Amino acid sequence: MRMSYWEYQGTAHTGVARVANSMNGVYAIMYSPVGDTYINSMFTMIERNKRFPPVTTSVLDLQTMGMGVNRLAPTLEQVYADHHPDLMIVACTCSSILLQEDLGALTKSAELPEGKTEVLIYAPNPYRVEEDEAANGLLTLLTKRYATVALPPTPKPSVNIIGTISLGFHHKQDLVSLKRMLNTLGVEVNLVFPEGASIPDLKRLPQAWATIAPYREMGQDAAKVLEELYGIPAVLTTPLGVMATREWVRAVIAALSKFAAAHNLPYNAEEPALAAFSMDQHSTPSNLPWFTYTADVQSFSSRKAFVFGDFTHTVGLVRLLATELDVQVVGAGTYDKRREQEFLEAVAPYTKETIISVEFDKVRKKIGELQPDVVLGTQMERHTSAGFDIPCATISNPTHIEDFPLGYQPFLGYDGSNYITDRIYHTMTLGLEKHLIEMFGDAGLGTSGAELPTEKINENFRHSEELRVKAEQLAVDGGSVMEVKPTPAPEPAKAPVGELTWTSEATQALKQIPFFVRPKVHKRVEEYARQHGHSVITLDLVYEVKEKAG
Amino acid sequence: MTITPDAVTSASSEAIVLREDNGYHAFCGLTCVGWLYQKMKDSFFLILGTHTCAHLLQNALGVMIFAQPRYGVAMLEEADLSAPQVDITEIVRDIVEQHHPSVIFLLNSCTPEIMKVDFETMAKKLNGVFENTPVMPVRADGLEYTMTQAEDSVVQALLQFCPQAPAGEKKVVFLGAVNDVNTGEIQREVEKLGLPVGGFVPANTIKELPAIGPDTIIAPLQPYLAGAATLFSRKRGAKVLQSLFPIGPDGTRVFLEDLAAMFGKKVDLSEREAESWRNIEAKVAAIRGKRIFITGDNMLELPITRFLRKAGAEVLECGTPYVNRKFHASELKALGGQKIVEMPNMGRQIRDIRALQPDLVITNFWEANPFEAERIPTKWSTEIIFTPIYGFGGVGELANLFSRALNRRKKLDLLDWKDFLPSAGNN
């Protein structure tokens, strides 16, 4: 028993629903009380799917349970009549699994046309198996069940892409990026599974030359099944970042070569020129390497980052940050407890601090301890980081409506490396600006800026003229960081002020000082002048004060 | 699925109530926590449930809800399933220390229900340990309750915090979680009629709960509080107003007139009603003559249907979780000839809607966008729960819900871009 306020993953039946919702002609029937189909609202609202989700409930309620009525068979009959699916998957939820009923026997009484549809009972223990693992297990099961007959290889080099799934983090955009690269390699896509695949399609899995399964938690076991049964090489690396993508490209070529050699097929194993992968066909496909050499990005070397999320994105981003952007990774973690050892080994070269936990509060405490400059995490870490005033970019599920943008935002491939770098840079830049604001205007903006949201402050900072006005107002109001005493400080540009007169040269010099320290300098010069009995402030005097102040 | 005409179905002068029995899609009772914890600012909602319950609560309302609100799940893990006894004392202790709530609502869920956890006893034991923080057992599991039905359970649990009103103290107490703007408006409206107002249940805090006694008049604002109204009447002898619900100019008028009658006053609000209709005429014009289908998931469907019909719309079907013949008697009488379907079968409804091509479908979160993809305009049913639609003050918001959806569609359809839109069946 533990107290839960929030979870990184859903339970097993959510994974089943995601597989069904990805595919065509597959329907999931939850043997459950009303309400366990709540996941449907995520498909239609968050992912903005257009179809009615192929997920329904065979309703369990106390009244009918008491009467010994079981609705499973009639539910299957109605689903068949309404949708004619090739496959109906019956799953339990955390309550119905306790009834320990023989679902096979219950479904047998359904009157379904022979040979037109099938019923599959898939009921992993919801107390042990979470969302991702249930979906992953189902992909393996379906592969074994339907990819049963060896087929001659496709005439041209082709691959299966396994793991692209409904509610996957930027999965559909990754798919575009992967297909663009495969196209450059002259490789056709034999089948994407589960996204867009049907049950008859699965029979075609064995005709590909290789299988690509880039997500560690989704579909790699199915890829291995195809490797074991049919000798189809599986490419299991994740093309996240420039180096990882280059390695992935070479791994794909190697896998295809291996398959071609084994089957005596013609294959040109030459690596295409880099420009061939680019959007416009004549420049570099990734601007990350040049970006990271540019002068302003040098400051990244002193930045501390913390990364937390699923296995795939966390491991990929830790490497990208530590090597390609040369950021200090002060800590990394995952909620994927199932792969703890593998995760620790994967991040060991890049970071010392690690955390494996499904409890966000423990992750929050870790971030509090480490005080990184930037966090890359899930929506929860974004929420946590806001509390610590640390900038954060999201890099992993749990899925959120923001993860289904209208524009092209892949994480994988060369295209993904560009997008990820933009995302990190934007997060970091805003962080830097905020830092500056705090340095020079903390108390002032803290009071008059209390009503301004952070974005507004940053916006103001960009429009320095606006902020100049603000800073001058602050000086007048007595912003404490500028050490202006409550006595109103005069407008710096106006001279003479009080008994002190500024020469035009001195005024000019004051104007050259950056706006955010100008009031402070102005005040210090006047104090100095009074202390030393000057009534006219000359350029020499300004320099004198500057030298003495160091 | 079979549609069985209800035994009570009667002459054409009344509504025709049908009941289906499967393929029904709604949120479970736990969902009501999402708004009730915001209404009751000194409460904590503790659900004895599973990982699924926690995942539901953070996602079901369509927005991701983050950490440490005043609700949480005491999560049963595998080892707890075979434990001789479920003990949540330490979890409750942490809640008391961290959140200092005035009351903890302890909600059951499907799994402990199947495990046959004795909630009443569990709450009683906890009340012995935490003397200053009452723990109230509340039934909300999906085996028996949909979202608004569980709100009834919560309101019932509040009775014991309502002070005893002495005999002879004749005041009206309103039942239903409505926002502060709406409570203020309703109170003013009722006081203008010279009727003394005791207060609202739920109130924003436990201390603000009104006194209830034998001469209290209980006026339910929402159709899903039958259990609470009955309980308040049985335990304290309070009288329950039997009327329309104060939704729409027509409903509000009858509600107020019937309420005044219980205080022995005869008032005629026909001019007030007419003025209210005049105020929303531009919006009503958008609704008039439209064919509307309500799939039904929150029990507000009967009064909404009545309002839409009065506004000149044809309601093709009024789906609803269930109809309470006694509690909804006035509404049913006002819905002569209307087809109402209890626990509607979603598959059948989708078929009917495709065939009927209504001008507007009022439906839940997960069916709305697929209907839009088929070029059938929709309005979220759940939005009705969150909108202050009650009393004369709520009439504008109520009409807006439907007129905005209809007007927006009309404007968008003028653009030459239909070929950009999805074709049916593709994701």
Side-chain angles (χ1 to χ4, degrees), chain A residues 153-158 186 188 207 209:
Chain A
T154 55
K156 287 185 183 167
S158 72
E188 290 177 348
Q207 66 186 11
W209 293 27

Side-chain angles (χ1 to χ4, degrees), chain A residues 497-510:
Chain A
V497 178
E499 74 272 33
L500 293 174
T501 310
W502 285 65
T503 67
S504 62
E505 281 173 338
T507 305
Q508 198 56 40
L510 189 67

Side-chain angles (χ1 to χ4, degrees), chain A residues 241-297:
Chain A
V242 175
M243 287 299 96
T245 300
R246 168 163 273 182
E247 289 157 15
W248 179 85
V249 165
R250 290 172 181 167
V252 171
I253 292 171
L256 293 169
S257 304
K258 186 179 158 195
F259 186 86
H263 292 79
N264 257 329
L265 291 160
Y267 175 65
N268 173 14
E270 204 179 317
E271 195 178 329
L274 266 188
F277 290 98
S278 70
M279 287 274 185
D280 59 10
Q281 300 294 305
H282 61 76
S283 51
T284 172
S286 176
N287 284 306
L288 193 164
W290 162 238
F291 167 88
T292 204
Y293 277 99
T294 52
D296 70 315
V297 183

Side-chain angles (χ1 to χ4, degrees), chain A residues 484-548:
Chain A
V484 180
K485 292 264 156 53
T487 42
E491 277 282 313
K494 280 181 197 159
V497 178
E499 74 272 33
L500 293 174
T501 310
W502 285 65
T503 67
S504 62
E505 281 173 338
T507 305
Q508 198 56 40
L510 189 67
K511 279 184 181 166
Q512 286 162 0
I513 295 169
F515 70 92
F516 43 83
V517 285
R518 203 178 295 145
K520 186 176 176 178
V521 174
H522 178 266
K523 185 171 180 307
R524 203 178 275 173
V525 171
E526 292 207 337
E527 269 173 10
Y528 183 91
R530 285 193 187 94
Q531 279 166 14
H532 293 83
H534 298 283
S535 61
V536 177
I537 295 168
T538 61
L539 185 60
D540 284 347
L541 191 67
V542 172
Y543 285 147
E544 196 180 319
V545 175
K546 191 168 170 261
E547 275 173 37
K548 297 217 161 153

Side-chain angles (χ1 to χ4, degrees), chain A residues 72-93:
Chain A
L72 195 48
T75 303
L76 292 172
E77 287 162 10
Q78 186 188 355
V79 167
Y80 181 76
D82 284 353
H83 308 284
H84 294 85
D86 300 311
L87 178 69
M88 292 188 270
I89 303 172
V90 178
C92 280
T93 64

